Every structure is written in structure tokens, then in C-alpha cells.
Amino acid sequence: MRRSGLGGLALTSPWVATFALFWVFPVLYSLYIGCTDYRLLVQGYEWVGLDNYRQLLNDPDFTGALKNTFIFVLGTIPITTVVALVMALLVNRRFKGRTIFRSAFFIPSITSMVVVALIFTSLYERGGYIALLAELVGLTPPQHGFLFDSSTALYSIMAMDIWMSVGYYMLIFVAGLKAIPDELYEAAEISGASTVRQFFSITLPLLRPVALFVIVINSIKSFQVFVEIFVMTKGSFDTSTAVYFVYEEGLTTAFRIGYASAAAYLLFATIALFSVCQFLLMRRRMTTW
Amino acid sequence: MVGSKRAVGESIRYLLLIMVLVVMIFPLLWMFRVAFMESGSSISWHAVVGSGWTLGNFMDLFASGGLGRPLFNSVLVGSVVTVGNILFCFMVAYALARYRSMTNRLLFSTVILVLMIPAHIVIVPLYLICLRAGLYDTYWALILPWLVNPIGIFLVKQYIESIPESMEEAARVDGAGEFRILFQVVMPLCKPALAVLAIQVFFTNWNSFLFPFILTSHDSLRTLPVALALYQGHQAIDWQHLMAGSAVAVLPVLVVFLLMQRQLVSGITAGAIKQ
């Protein structure tokens, strides 16, 4: 009874067209370009096969950027996940002012990344607020400010990122907590299980799928960290990341389009591998439980 | 005894909540405070607390034209992209939900696939394509690639599938054409989903930095986030004006969120929990 074919085609054509032109084509084109020595300002280019990839793995700028990206991902994700879960537990039950707290916690994640990066740049300045707090608890802040010191810059940006994203993942955990049936807790209550016991035997196992979602989504996003690096440090003080490297190589000074495309693909492969590993690891744990 | 134990628990909960609250909102309060400070002074602790309140920073920004054009661009690009997404995401979602052909099932799997490919992969090629196609440094580069988005298709498709087909059948029996059924029967029913989609698309676009930044270079085409990010580079950082501009970028998002938070929150979490 469905008039398939033409009717459906007319409706989907705008998506198919923009999708093909601005997504499929660029993705494939970039795979091809990544195997050439294409530079924007140089006429003509040659096929170099996997040379770019080989060169990337020996390029200290790229491996350094990749190392920073891994520090960023591995450092922020456990903290963000745990803090978001704690916040979700705090605002989950009904109490006075719950909506106010929940909204306030969520607001940073709807704020523009550029604005957040600017605000924190001012807070991290020499003699700024964070330096003041550090002095209050007896630490010596870096002499030129947190973003102008290789030993603190990347970690300062990571802290900001955690601040910004916990609210979003908190909301997802809250939705996950709501999906757990009340009867389970009632039954546990009757059999005398403590709140702590309930948390570890009911809440945590049943939140696994949600936690997996949070971790995978957050990893994919964090591997691509760029905006905050651009606004806050421009990659200096050992804060360059993989996407920042792609931008710098491909779209500034030398315009090494081919080399940058290969770097983007190498990061893509890393992300894909990482996601698959997370998936397998979490799923195996889930079935053995 | 039990009562006092509960009271202690409640106090600890509120104490924790308030601590988190302070950490979460302080940076934004700081931004608003600095935006209303008298310009020219430093932003040290004493200066910020001691300074008077003024609208001068906002006036300066609008008078110099440094804010007006980016604001106009952000509104223009955001509006066009939003209208495009409402229309096109709806059309595609309807086709995928109601015409269950082989091609459409294939298309839907590509929607899911696209959601999984990280966007950084197109930075270089999209820049190159826009350059070669003459889209670079035009409004088209800010609009065309973003007219339909897979998450929007996904959300609207789910919504349409929850609407019974009987309404459409009835209209069909009454002799309404497919076009009329689409836009006068189904579309009005999808209003709640489309409203959430519109707000999400508009503000994603409003906050977007990476692609507007790499696909334009001319000052007259800068959107608000791009203008703010580049403003910093010009001279020694002028925090009062920068924070005033930031406040202008944040305020609309804040107001709309606070007015519509219930609908938006359910829209944000719907996609996640369905998995």
C-alpha cells in the first residue's frame, strides 16, 4: 500500500544531496588526498601511498599531539563520569529546590565553548581567581599563569572541560536512574539491604548501558578536542592535540593538505579502535555479571 | 533517633549540592560581573569587587560595530539553518518512517553510520571543497552543509512513528494529496518534536566555532563565537569588553533554556536512553 519509490525519493533528496556532497565525498576524498603530497600553494601533486602515515608516526609534533590527546581523554573521562554520576544521585530524589540545582548544573554544557574558554582564560591568569584559590590552600601557582606553563596548561584545560561537560552527562544518568523500576528498591528494602548495598547491587549494574553510552560518546568528543586549545593556548606550552595538529598543518602556513588528511584519518582509526575496545570490554563485563 | 539521622543526611546532601552549585555557576557570574565593570582597570580580585556597575562596555561594542555584524550573522545563519532543518529533517523523517522501502532502510542505516564518524575528518576536505567550489568566504559555506542533520532526522522519525497512521489514512480517503497530508496533517502533529529540534539546531549553530571559523576569513562574515575568539588576539586582552560580548552570546541560550527546560531536557535524554 505504500507508494514507495518516487514519493520517498523526492522527500529524501535534500538530505541525500547535502549528505553526498558535504559528507560522503569529503570523507572519501580526504582518504585519497591523504595518500598524496598535496599542498595548497604548490601546483600539482603526486601519489605517495602510505608515506604520510609513516612520516606521521615519526613526527614528534604529531606523536606529541597524540600523546596530549590521550592524556586529555584518559584524564577527563573517568572524572567526568564519576562526578556526573554523583551529581545525578544528588539531584535524583525529590527535594526542595531540585529543579534549580539540576538546571544550574546543566547550564555550563549549553554555554558556547568559546565563551567558556574565554572565561577560564581570565580565571587562570597570573594573579587571577584560581591562582588566589591555589594560594589559599597553600600551593604556589605558576609564575606566569596556569596557561603559560607546560606543567599546568593541559591539565587546566582538562579541568575546565570536566566543569563544562559534567552537567550534560548528569542529565543522562538521571534519565537512566529513572528507568530503574522502584519495585527493585522496595524488595531490597524489605529484605533489609542497606542503601550502600542497594547502590552496588541494583543501581550500578543497571546503569551499565547508560554508563557505556556516556563513556563512548564522551571519548569520541574528547578525542577531537580543538576549540579550547585554539582559544586558550594555540597549542603552545605542550597543549597541542591531534585535531589542533590537523588544523595547523593543513589550514595554516604550509597548507599541507595531504599530510593533514592522513593525520585526521590516523586519529579516526584511533577513535574507532578505542570505541570498539570500550564496547567489547563493557559488554563482556555485563554478561559475566 | 531515626529522624535525626535523616536530618543529618539531608544536611550533608544540601551542603554537597551548594558546594557543587557554587563551582558550577561561579564562572558565569564572574563573566557577567566583569561585563558590567568599568573598563580600563585590571580584573584582579580587588578591582572586580570594588568597581562600580556600568553598561558602557556593551555600548562601546555596539557603537564600534565590532559586535553588531557578528550578531547579525549569527542570527541570520542560525535562522536559515534552523528553518532548513525543520523542513528537511521532517521530510526525510517522514519518508523513512512511512515509506518502508529497501532504499529507505539503507538510508536510515547511513544516518546511524554518520552519527558515528567523527566530524574532524572533514575539516581539511570541506575547506578544500568550499575553496574550489567558490563557497569559501560566503554565507553559503555557513549554511549549505548544515541544512539537514542526522540527529534531527532520528528524533523526528521516532516521533512520527509514535503517531497513528489513521489520521493520514482518513485524509487520504477524503481525497487529500500527499503534499497536503504531509504539511497540513502530519507536520502540525509533530510540532512538539520540531520545536525541540528547532531550539537545539539554532543553539548548536549559535555556539558553533570550528567550521564557521575555517570556512570564512573575512571580518564581515564572522559569527559571534568566531568574532569573540579572534577579538582576543588583537591587542592586550581587554577583559571587560570581551566578557560583555560573551554575555551577549550566552544570554539568549540561557533565557530560552530556562523558559523551555522541561521539553529540552526530555529531548536531550530521549536519544540516549533509547539505545
Side-chain angles (χ1 to χ4, degrees):
Chain A
M1 51 154 272
R2 295 268 140 252
R3 297 130 304 268
S4 55
L6 282 179
L9 206 65
L11 291 175
T12 49
S13 57
W15 150 251
V16 173
T18 51
F19 173 65
L21 216 63
F22 297 113
W23 192 267
V24 179
F25 177 59
V27 168
L28 298 176
Y29 186 49
S30 148
L31 187 61
Y32 165 73
I33 288 283
C35 296
T36 69
D37 62 356
Y38 192 4
R39 289 181 184 215
L40 199 59
L41 307 172
V42 178
Q43 283 284 320
Y45 56 86
E46 273 173 29
W47 178 265
V48 295
L50 295 177
D51 273 6
N52 284 333
Y53 292 91
R54 231 167 277 141
Q55 204 185 326
L56 277 166
L57 294 174
N58 293 313
D59 181 342
D61 285 346
F62 180 72
T63 49
L66 206 58
K67 187 201 80 194
N68 286 339
T69 309
F70 267 98
I71 293 177
F72 192 94
V73 172
L74 298 176
T76 55
I77 285 179
I79 302 178
T80 303
T81 311
V82 171
V83 173
L85 178 59
V86 170
M87 281 161 67
L89 291 169
L90 279 175
V91 299
N92 186 37
R93 299 245 173 102
R94 284 188 186 284
F95 61 90
K96 256 208 183 93
R98 171 178 167 230
T99 340
I100 298 171
F101 284 111
R102 206 180 49 189
S103 316
F105 296 172
F106 182 62
I107 282 170
S109 55
I110 50 169
T111 309
S112 144
M113 176 52 94
V114 170
V115 169
V116 169
L118 288 172
I119 295 173
F120 275 79
T121 305
S122 80
L123 293 174
Y124 282 137
E125 271 197 330
R126 182 178 56 175
Y129 246 99
I130 311 266
L132 197 78
L133 285 179
E135 276 168 7
L136 276 179
V137 297
L139 298 168
T140 350
Q143 205 184 351
H144 303 287
F146 287 90
L147 297 175
F148 292 88
D149 190 314
S150 300
S151 61
T152 52
L154 186 62
Y155 299 106
S156 305
I157 299 175
M158 286 161 63
M160 176 193 81
D161 223 78
I162 293 168
W163 174 84
M164 188 174 174
S165 49
V166 280
Y168 173 72
Y169 298 111
M170 169 198 77
L171 273 194
I172 292 176
F173 276 127
V174 167
L177 287 171
K178 259 199 205 111
I180 300 176
D182 284 334
E183 293 83 52
L184 289 178
Y185 293 107
E186 282 159 19
E189 201 82 49
I190 290 167
S191 55
S194 67
T195 321
V196 179
R197 179 76 199 276
Q198 286 178 29
F199 175 75
F200 283 105
S201 324
I202 302 174
T203 315
L204 219 47
L206 288 173
L207 272 183
R208 267 182 185 281
V210 181
L212 174 68
F213 175 83
V214 164
I215 291 171
V216 170
I217 292 293
N218 196 6
S219 313
I220 294 176
K221 202 194 79 192
S222 300
F223 266 115
Q224 301 181 70
V225 51
F226 169 78
V227 180
E228 46 275 60
I229 306 293
F230 178 84
V231 175
M232 297 172 89
T233 60
K234 300 267 190 308
S236 46
F237 299 102
D238 201 12
T239 56
S240 180
T241 58
V243 174
Y244 196 83
F245 177 89
V246 170
Y247 159 76
E248 209 172 27
E249 283 294 322
L251 306 190
T252 64
T253 49
F255 291 97
R256 298 171 72 187
I257 300 278
Y259 195 55
S261 295
Y265 258 94
L266 217 48
L267 178 65
F268 180 22
T270 312
I271 296 175
L273 202 68
F274 200 78
S275 302
V276 169
C277 288
Q278 282 175 332
F279 221 80
L280 292 177
L281 215 70
M282 293 289 277
R283 216 180 49 181
R284 185 191 300 156
R285 281 236 206 108
M286 252 184 278
T287 46
T288 51
W289 268 48
Chain B
M1 194 57 206
V2 174
S4 74
K5 203 173 172 187
R6 173 161 289 175
V8 171
E10 280 299 285
S11 320
I12 293 177
R13 173 198 290 276
Y14 275 105
L15 200 70
L16 273 171
L17 280 166
I18 288 166
M19 275 164 54
V20 178
L21 184 71
V22 170
V23 174
M24 294 310 276
I25 64 170
F26 173 77
L28 289 166
L29 293 178
W30 164 265
M31 172 194 74
F32 281 114
R33 178 64 189 105
V34 174
F36 289 101
M37 256 178 93
E38 282 141 9
S39 63
S41 55
S42 82
I43 52 163
S44 69
W45 191 81
H46 292 289
V48 172
V49 174
S51 163
W53 295 74
T54 171
L55 280 170
N57 302 321
F58 295 91
M59 310 275 218
D60 294 346
L61 283 178
F62 280 108
S64 73
L67 190 62
R69 187 64 193 242
L71 193 59
F72 170 80
N73 288 342
S74 276
V75 172
L76 175 76
V77 171
S79 308
V80 176
V81 169
T82 304
V83 171
N85 270 280
I86 293 176
L87 190 65
F88 296 134
C89 287
F90 171 69
M91 281 162 53
V92 180
Y94 181 77
L96 295 184
R98 294 293 200 242
Y99 299 82
R100 294 184 202 95
S101 68
M102 200 55 202
T103 21
N104 279 347
R105 238 172 273 157
L106 208 71
L107 267 179
F108 188 63
S109 356
T110 61
V111 170
I112 305 291
L113 199 71
V114 171
L115 281 172
M116 300 180 51
I117 298 179
H120 82 266
I121 209 88
V122 297
I123 292 175
V124 174
L126 198 59
Y127 167 79
L128 202 60
I129 289 166
C130 284
L131 210 59
R132 296 279 181 257
L135 299 175
Y136 183 79
D137 241 351
T138 68
Y139 280 115
W140 295 115
L142 301 178
I143 292 170
L144 277 181
W146 326 107
L147 280 177
V148 201
N149 84 85
I151 300 175
I153 295 174
F154 194 78
L155 286 178
V156 181
K157 175 180 177 271
Q158 278 189 326
Y159 196 86
I160 292 177
E161 278 170 346
S162 72
I163 302 172
E165 283 185 56
S166 51
M167 304 273 272
E168 294 149 58
E169 301 298 344
R172 215 162 269 142
V173 172
D174 288 345
E178 290 303 309
F179 191 76
R180 248 186 96 177
I181 291 174
L182 185 61
F183 290 105
Q184 293 192 342
V185 178
V186 186
M187 203 174 192
L189 289 172
C190 293
K191 246 186 220 158
L194 294 176
V196 171
L197 172 74
I199 293 170
Q200 282 183 0
V201 168
F202 186 85
F203 286 122
T204 305
N205 202 280
W206 179 265
N207 286 342
S208 154
F209 170 78
L210 176 58
F211 287 102
F213 166 62
I214 62 167
L215 298 178
T216 61
S217 66
H218 202 275
D219 274 346
S220 66
L221 284 160
R222 294 308 198 187
T223 58
L224 206 45
V226 182
L228 284 172
L230 298 180
Y231 180 79
Q232 195 191 15
H234 285 322
Q235 57 270 333
I237 304 175
D238 166 14
W239 284 117
Q240 282 83 354
H241 288 104
L242 204 47
M243 289 295 122
S246 299
V248 172
V250 170
L251 210 58
V253 187
L254 216 55
V255 170
V256 173
F257 171 71
L258 292 177
L259 289 178
M260 301 201 52
Q261 49 176 312
R262 186 167 302 160
Q263 294 90 317
L264 290 176
V265 166
S266 63
I268 290 159
T269 50
I273 297 311
K274 283 274 158 57
Q275 308 273 326

